[in-house]
Amino acid sequence: MAISGIINTNTSALSTLDALNGTQGSLNTYLQQLSTGKSINGPADNPAGYAIAQRFQTQINGLNQAVSNGNQGVSLVQTATGAIQNQTSLLQQIRTTAVQAANASNTTSDRQALQGVVSQLLAQVQTIATQTQFNGQNLLDGTFAGAAFQVGANSNQIINVAVGDTKTNAMGNYATTVTSQANGAYSSTSGAFIDGGYAAGGAFTLSSGAASGAGGAGNFATNSLGISGSVGNASVSVSSPSESAYSLAQSVNAVSAQTGVNAQAYTSAAFQVTATGSVSFSLGNGSSGSVSNAVNISATITSGAGGQLDLSSLVTAINNQAAITGVSASTQTVNGTQELVVTQSQGRNIVMEAGTGTATSGMSTGSTAKLQAVSNATGSAVGVGGVFSSGSGGLVIQGAVQFQSASSYAIGNASGIGFSSQAASLVSGAGGSAVASINVTTAAGAQQAIGIVDQAINYLNQQNGSLGAIQNRIQASVSNDQTTATNLQSAQSVVQDANIAQATSQLTKYQILQQAGISTLAQENSLQQSYLKLLP
C-alpha cells in the first residue's frame, strides 16, 4: 500500500480501533461467561436460548417447592397416623376390658369399676380426636376432608387427602333397625331383639312347629337379601322360613369381601315357668321337620325358696346334653321373677318338641309344667305359639342375625328377617352402637361393646391403611419431582451454562488480539507523527 501522507484522517488507525473495539466486546463476553459460569447472561446473548432456559427455571423452581410441599405432607400424614395408632391402642385396652366384663364371675360392682376404666379410656380417645393438630389444623375430628397436597410444579398436580372422623360418637358398629311387622323375625308378637340381640333371652323369634317329620315352621320370608356396603354389592338367599340365623350369617360372611359387611348370629330365648310338675321333651337343632342332635330332656319343677320355682333340675338336664345340642341353660331374675334362658351361642335354631321317636307336638304326654316365652323389653308374654306344654305345639326358636360394619350399609328385603330395609346407622347414647355409648356394666352391654370396638378398630385400621397409601404416594411423588428437577437442570445446563475450557481459550485469544490491536494502533499513530519530519 502506498503511503497516503494524510494527517487529518488516520484511516488505518480508525480501522485498527474498530477491530480493537470488537475484540474488547468479545473479551467482555467471555469474561462475563467465566465470572458467571453461564453462556447466556441476558436475552441479547441468545434470545431463543434465554427463553428456553427461563422455562426450564420455572419448572425447576416449581419442582423444588413441590418437594418441600410433599415433605410437609408426609409430616402431616405421619402426625395423623401416629395419633390413630394411639387411639387403636386405647381401643384395644377397652376391648380387653369388655371381654373381662362379659365374664359371669364379675359382680355388678366389678362391672361398674370396669366401666370407670372404660370411661377414662374413651375420654382419651376423644381427646386425641379433637386435639391432634398440624400447623393449627385439626386432623382427626372430621374437618380435614377434601384437602389436597400440591406435589407438582403445575396447577392441579395434587394428591387428595381426607382423614375420617375418629371421635367416639363417629366410630362403632353400624346397626340395623328392627321392624315390628307381624311376619318379622323379631316382631313384638313372636320374639324379642333386646339390647341389639346381645342380651340373654333377647335374641329370638318363635314359631309353633308341627309334629316331627311333618314339615318345618319358621318366620323368615324366603327371598334374596341385597347387601350394599362400603366395598360393593352382593346378595344372599333365605332358603326357607325356618333357616337358622347361623346359616344366614354364614351366607353374609361368605360375601363380606364384596360388601364390607359381616354378620354374627345368636339365639337366646327367655321363658317364665307358670306351673310346677314334670317336664319331658326333645331338644335339638334344625327345624321341626328335620331335627338334628336331638336328645330327651326330663326334669321336675318344684317350689323353691322365696316363692320362686326351683328350675335347677331343668337347667342341669339341658346343660348335661349341651355337648350334643350346643344349647345351654341358665336362669335370670327380671322384675322379681325367675326366668329360664336357653341359648345357642352360634345362632343355630333350637327345636323343642315331644320326646324323640314320638308323633306328638309340645311336651311329652304327662308333662304338667308350662313354659311361657317372654320379651323382657316389654315384660310381656310372647304370642304366636309362645307357650310350651303338653297341650301346645312344638317350638322352633330362630336366632338373631347381627350385621356388622365400620361403615354405613343398606339391606334390601330385610323386613323378611325382621329388619327395616333402610340404611344402617351409627347411634350414640344408651343402647347405641357408637363407641361413645359403650357400657360394660351388664354382661349384654359388655358383649355388645366387643362388637362395637371391633368395628371401631377396623375403621381406624382402614384410616391408617388409606393414610399409609397416601404417604407412599406422596413420597413417590417427591422422589419423582427430585429426579425430574435433576434432569431439567441437566437440560438447562446444556442450553445455558458456559463451556469453561472453551471460554478460557477464547478469552486468551481475544486478550492476545487486544494486545496486538493496541500495539498496531500505537504504530499507526507513530506513522502519522513521522510526517512532521518533512516540515522545514
Side-chain angles (χ1 to χ4, degrees), residues 175-194 196-197 204-205 218-223 225 238 241 243 245 248 398-403 411-422:
T176 48
T177 303
V178 179
T179 184
S180 60
Q181 295 180 0
N183 63 344
Y186 314 113
S187 68
S188 60
T189 58
S190 65
F193 192 70
I194 303 166
F204 70 95
T205 180
N219 285 287
F220 290 164
T222 56
N223 57 23
L225 302 179
V238 180
E243 185 171 357
L248 282 177
Q398 290 170 288
V401 179
Q402 297 150 323
F403 295 95
I411 307 294
N413 293 327
S415 60
I417 61 170
F419 293 106
S420 68
S421 297
Q422 65 185 18

Side-chain angles (χ1 to χ4, degrees), residues 190-438:
S190 65
F193 192 70
I194 303 166
D195 290 340
Y198 293 91
F204 70 95
T205 180
L206 293 177
S207 60
S208 180
S212 296
N219 285 287
F220 290 164
T222 56
N223 57 23
S224 177
L225 302 179
I227 304 174
S228 299
S230 59
V231 177
N233 305 325
S235 62
V236 297
S237 297
V238 180
S239 59
S240 71
S242 60
E243 185 171 357
S244 68
Y246 169 83
S247 177
L248 282 177
Q250 291 293 98
S251 297
V252 172
N253 292 334
V255 296
S256 62
Q258 304 172 40
T259 63
V261 180
N262 54 27
Q264 68 177 22
Y266 185 57
T267 306
S268 186
F271 294 87
Q272 290 179 359
V273 181
T274 58
T276 61
S278 62
V279 293
S280 179
F281 59 92
S282 169
L283 179 67
N285 309 126
S287 65
S288 58
S290 179
V291 183
S292 60
N293 304 319
V295 297
N296 283 318
I297 301 295
S298 296
T300 302
I301 309 298
T302 61
S303 297
Q308 297 287 351
L309 297 179
D310 185 357
L311 306 180
S312 59
S313 174
L314 180 56
V315 170
T316 300
I318 294 174
N319 288 335
N320 284 343
Q321 302 296 332
I324 299 174
T325 64
V327 179
S328 61
S330 62
T331 59
Q332 64 182 9
T333 302
V334 178
N335 298 325
T337 301
Q338 191 176 48
E339 298 176 351
L340 171 73
V341 177
V342 292
T343 299
Q344 214 295 329
S345 60
Q346 294 179 310
R348 299 181 189 274
N349 288 349
I350 300 173
V351 181
M352 301 169 65
E353 294 182 326
T356 58
T358 68
T360 59
S361 60
M363 291 186 185
S364 299
T365 303
S367 298
T368 56
K370 295 182 179 180
L371 304 181
Q372 171 65 61
V374 293
S375 170
N376 288 321
T378 60
S380 61
V382 174
V384 190
V387 177
F388 185 54
S389 66
S390 62
S392 69
L395 296 182
V396 175
I397 306 174
Q398 290 170 288
V401 179
Q402 297 150 323
F403 295 95
Q404 298 179 336
S405 177
S407 304
S408 183
Y409 57 90
I411 307 294
N413 293 327
S415 60
I417 61 170
F419 293 106
S420 68
S421 297
Q422 65 185 18
S425 60
L426 190 63
V427 182
S428 298
S433 54
V435 169
S437 66
I438 287 176

Side-chain angles (χ1 to χ4, degrees), residues 11-34:
T11 304
S12 297
L14 291 174
S15 297
T16 301
L17 185 61
D18 286 341
L20 189 60
N21 286 334
T23 299
Q24 184 64 43
S26 297
L27 186 64
N28 290 339
T29 295
Y30 288 106
L31 281 171
Q32 188 178 33
Q33 288 184 11
L34 289 171

Side-chain angles (χ1 to χ4, degrees), residues 122 155 201 241 280 339 369 394 412 431 479 487 505:
L122 287 175
S155 62
S280 179
E339 298 176 351
S479 178
N487 291 331
S505 176

